[in-house]
């Protein structure tokens, strides 16, 4: 459940007086997401999403996230749009937390995406990469190569509780990726967390991308590898090359990958699998029992990492070379 901070109705009504958002009719918590507290608001104008930014989100990063959504929406990407207050600011305060009102996006996320949906996601990711060009604010990716070692050190001592022998395997993987990580590839603004629950569909039509709170500047092909990991594996852990082909064809219909990006895809995919393994591992080991957050199995991403380790050619992802 993604409500960590509750709000009082009177406080919310006062908060809304700072916006041209109509009067409050009803509100309820949204039981999805893991980083922030989210509420669906019905007002006399339009439905809205209220987000309270919790302690894991740096307040200094919020101008990047909110400004990026404005930038992308202005360039035609379907994504939520932050509402300005009457004083022009995008950020307010509610219940002791930084807070923002975001436009409501119609649609729902898919529990069982098919290849046709993967194609749409690939296309939308490329459109986001193109639309992000020219965004003046920057945010380094704290969850890329340089941050993985720090994250691992927080979990290493207890990693054996999840699977025997993990310490040696992950130390070796970190050493490999540190040495092999590609340099000089096309870079820009990436979503960095484009999982199925962050993409909305209306029927089979993609209606928009949401949750830009891991967005940052990094290699564009790294974002592609994150989507391959998030969308193209089945429940039994098998890689679905039909979905992979569709994802990559959709992406390249908007922004063709360079030869260097294609060659780097196996290493990038290993890295993105390790990134999500490490964050899941940390949460698995440190989230207290009874917490209102569903822990995600880190071994899912360990299995994906091991798959990528066996890849001999980028063609195995479904690329036409």
């Amino acid at each position: 459940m993604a409500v960590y901070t509750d709000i009082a109705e009177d406080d919310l009504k006062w908060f809304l007086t700072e916006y041209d958002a109509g009067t409050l009719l009803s509100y309820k918590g949204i039981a999805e997401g893991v980083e922030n507290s989210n509420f669906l608001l019905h007002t006399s104008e339009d439905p809205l999403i209220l987000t309270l930014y919790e302690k894991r989100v740096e307040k200094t990063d919020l101008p990047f996230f909110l400004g990026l959504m404005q930038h992308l929406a202005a360039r035609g990407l379907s994504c939520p749009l932050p509402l300005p207050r009457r004083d022009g600011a995008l950020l307010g305060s509610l219940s002791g937390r930084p807070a923002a009102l975001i436009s409501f996006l119609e649609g729902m996320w898919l529990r069982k995406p098919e290849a046709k949906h993967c194609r749409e996601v690939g296309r939308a990711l490329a459109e986001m990469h193109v639309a992000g060009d020219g965004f003046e604010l920057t945010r380094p990716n704290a969850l890329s190569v340089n941050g993985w070692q720090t994250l691992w050190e927080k979990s290493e001592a207890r990693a054996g509780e999840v699977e025997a022998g993990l310490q040696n395997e992950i130390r070796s993987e970190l050493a490999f990726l540190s040495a092999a990580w590609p340099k000089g590839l096309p870079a820009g603004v990436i979503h960095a967390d484009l999982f199925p629950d962050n993409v909305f569909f209306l029927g089979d039509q993609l209606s928009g991308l949401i949750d830009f709170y891991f967005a940052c500047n990094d290699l564009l092909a790294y974002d592609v590898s994150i989507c391959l990991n998030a969308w193209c594996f089945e429940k039994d852990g098998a890689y679905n090359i039909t979905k992979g082909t569709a994802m990559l064809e959709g992406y390249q219909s908007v922004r063709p990958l360079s030869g260097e990006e294609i060659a780097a895809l196996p290493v990038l995919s290993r890295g993105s699998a390790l990134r999500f393994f490490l964050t899941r591992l940390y949460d698995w080991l440190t989230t207290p029992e009874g917490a209102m957050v569903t822990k995600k199995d880190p071994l899912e991403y360990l299995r994906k990492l091991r798959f990528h380790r066996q890849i001999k050619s980028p063609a195995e992802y479904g690329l036409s070379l």
Side-chain angles (χ1 to χ4, degrees):
M1 182 173 179
V3 176
Y4 306 97
T5 299
D6 204 359
I7 52 176
E9 183 175 350
D10 288 345
D11 292 340
L12 177 54
K13 287 180 177 178
W14 177 257
F15 177 81
L16 289 177
T17 63
E18 301 295 328
Y19 295 83
D20 291 318
T23 56
L24 182 67
L25 301 178
S26 65
Y27 70 101
K28 64 178 181 179
I30 300 174
E32 291 183 354
V34 296
E35 293 295 319
N36 304 307
S37 296
N38 296 290
F39 299 83
L40 173 60
L41 276 55
H42 289 282
T43 75
S44 56
E45 300 291 332
D46 298 305
L48 296 166
I49 300 296
L50 168 67
T51 297
L52 273 60
Y53 298 100
E54 300 295 343
K55 295 178 181 179
R56 289 177 66 167
V57 177
E58 294 288 343
K59 187 176 181 179
T60 53
D61 286 334
L62 293 177
F64 177 90
F65 300 141
L66 299 174
L68 176 61
M69 286 187 274
Q70 281 190 318
H71 177 91
L72 295 174
R75 282 153 181 79
L77 191 81
S78 181
C79 66
L81 185 64
L83 271 66
R85 291 162 29 116
R86 297 184 195 276
D87 62 7
L90 297 179
L91 199 63
S93 179
L94 180 61
S95 298
R97 297 282 187 267
L101 282 181
I102 312 291
S103 63
F104 178 79
L105 193 65
E106 292 284 353
M108 60 185 297
W109 70 273
L110 302 175
R111 269 63 176 180
K112 295 181 178 180
E114 301 174 20
K116 60 187 175 183
H117 305 121
C118 292
R119 187 182 303 276
E120 292 300 306
V121 172
R123 182 181 293 113
L125 180 67
E127 289 171 349
M128 186 208 132
H129 288 167
V130 172
D133 190 43
F135 182 55
E136 294 182 353
L137 298 181
T138 59
R139 178 178 181 264
N141 186 359
L143 293 173
S144 190
V145 184
N146 293 334
W148 294 338
Q149 182 63 45
T150 302
L151 192 56
W152 170 241
E153 289 170 357
K154 296 178 180 179
S155 304
E156 182 176 8
R158 296 181 56 199
E161 298 175 22
V162 176
E163 185 178 296
L166 259 184
Q167 284 92 341
N168 289 336
E169 181 176 0
I170 299 304
R171 283 192 213 111
S172 176
E173 188 67 23
L174 284 166
F176 168 81
L177 290 172
S178 180
W181 200 249
K183 298 179 177 63
L185 298 182
V189 177
I190 69 170
H191 187 284
D193 194 39
L194 201 60
F195 278 64
D197 57 352
N198 288 331
V199 181
F200 280 3
F201 282 82
L202 286 169
D204 290 331
Q205 184 71 37
L206 192 151
S207 61
L209 310 182
I210 68 167
D211 198 349
F212 289 83
Y213 300 115
F214 284 101
C216 56
N217 295 85
D218 208 331
L219 305 179
L220 300 180
Y222 177 61
D223 222 10
V224 176
S225 78
I226 290 173
C227 283
L228 290 176
N229 274 314
W231 289 82
C232 300
F233 284 83
E234 298 302 324
K235 295 286 187 183
D236 63 1
Y239 181 75
N240 186 322
I241 195 168
T242 303
K243 289 183 177 180
T245 298
M247 173 82 67
L248 293 164
E249 286 179 351
Y251 185 88
Q252 294 198 97
S253 70
V254 175
R255 180 188 169 269
L257 294 165
S258 70
E260 292 79 6
E261 288 177 301
I262 290 172
L265 203 54
V267 171
L268 294 170
S269 297
R270 283 173 71 165
S272 57
L274 180 67
R275 172 261 188 265
F276 288 100
F277 166 74
L278 289 173
T279 50
R280 286 186 175 197
L281 177 66
Y282 176 77
D283 288 344
W284 188 269
L285 294 173
T286 60
T287 301
E289 294 298 325
M292 301 293 282
V293 178
T294 301
K295 297 192 291 186
K296 297 179 180 178
D297 182 8
L299 293 179
E300 175 188 350
Y301 270 82
L302 183 63
R303 290 188 288 270
K304 292 178 182 181
L305 171 58
R306 290 167 176 166
F307 167 83
H308 297 303
R309 220 181 266 148
Q310 306 304 314
I311 291 290
K312 299 293 189 276
S313 165
E316 295 177 61
Y317 293 117
L319 280 161
S320 298
L321 301 182

